[in-house]
Amino acid sequence: MDPIETRDLPSGGAPSVVASLRQLIMAGRYAAGTRLAEVAVAELLGVSRTPVRLAFRTLAQEGLLQPAGKRGFVVRAFSEADVLCGIEVRGVLEGLAARRLAERGLDPVTRATLEACLAEGEAVLAGGTLGEPEIDRWSRLNERFHGAIVHAVGSQVIADAIARNNHLPFASADSIVIDRSALAGEYEKIRLAQVHHRLIVDALARGESARAEMLMREHAYVGLRYAPLFGLQGASAA
């Protein structure tokens, strides 16, 4: 295994630590079965143990880590097929939510939330480059965008199914993976995701249920399957 390039890893709070650990696991730096220690990871990322501890819990909820003893965690074994299946299932479920919302009609509160996410997405992309503030802002707004659509439908069945699926590796909408050695490509990936967001809102506002469902299902693949289009590591890295 090659040495870890710490210059490509951020320092900072919990969101940065979570994204960094996702990338390290995705890139195979931490192989399946590897036991992660708070102190070692904190030293590697240049942060305190507190954000590392929070990141471990978050990644355990996402299914990337699993408990090992009272405090420890190990990297969970998963395959490319596992990752893509989880993403596909999320796309189907979120597509169903988008279709139902388009059929019902986009209410003013949800529309305002989605448009605010679009505006913030434009602000994230305005500088033409990605840094830690932009990555963290995108992660938060992306979670709000997806959550607003699911919440607006009012279906606990859909919400619960998505919550269960989110325990699979990289399946949740906020499981952002950023290759910090190729930020130009990552910028283009996020720019495409922003275009998807805008198209989804347009379809919802027009009540075009089939189009909204199709766009939402396709959007689920941006995080990993689209990566090779921008010279990035894709799901094959898993």
Side-chain angles (χ1 to χ4, degrees), residues 184-206:
E186 294 290 1
Y187 175 87
E188 292 301 319
K189 185 177 73 176
I190 289 179
R191 189 167 66 89
L192 177 59
Q194 170 73 358
V195 171
H196 279 192
H197 282 184
R198 192 166 292 282
L199 291 172
I200 289 166
V201 173
D202 180 70
L204 291 172
R206 293 175 183 272

Side-chain angles (χ1 to χ4, degrees), residues 146-225:
H146 287 255
I149 292 174
V150 174
H151 177 74
V153 176
S155 171
Q156 195 61 45
V157 173
I158 295 176
D160 287 346
I162 290 174
R164 286 193 295 271
N165 191 66
N166 284 347
H167 289 288
L168 299 175
F170 300 103
S172 64
D174 61 329
S175 293
I176 185 170
V177 178
I178 297 293
D179 183 353
R180 287 169 173 78
S181 66
L183 287 179
E186 294 290 1
Y187 175 87
E188 292 301 319
K189 185 177 73 176
I190 289 179
R191 189 167 66 89
L192 177 59
Q194 170 73 358
V195 171
H196 279 192
H197 282 184
R198 192 166 292 282
L199 291 172
I200 289 166
V201 173
D202 180 70
L204 291 172
R206 293 175 183 272
E208 297 173 345
S209 57
R211 177 169 170 247
E213 180 176 19
M214 178 274 293
L215 287 168
M216 204 70 180
R217 292 181 67 164
E218 182 64 22
H219 178 61
Y221 289 106
V222 170
L224 293 176
R225 180 167 281 180

Side-chain angles (χ1 to χ4, degrees), residues 41-79:
V41 173
E43 290 177 352
L44 173 66
L45 300 182
V47 298
S48 69
R49 293 176 62 180
T50 298
V52 172
R53 187 178 304 117
L54 294 173
F56 283 179
R57 293 173 183 171
T58 298
L59 296 179
Q61 291 173 349
E62 294 178 6
L64 283 177
L65 303 180
Q66 57 189 23
K70 292 184 178 180
R71 295 185 179 181
F73 291 90
V74 297
V75 178
R76 176 181 171 183
F78 61 93
S79 67

Side-chain angles (χ1 to χ4, degrees), residues 138-155:
W138 175 265
S139 180
R140 290 192 296 269
L141 78 86
N142 189 60
E143 184 177 9
R144 288 198 306 274
F145 183 90
H146 287 255
I149 292 174
V150 174
H151 177 74
V153 176
S155 171

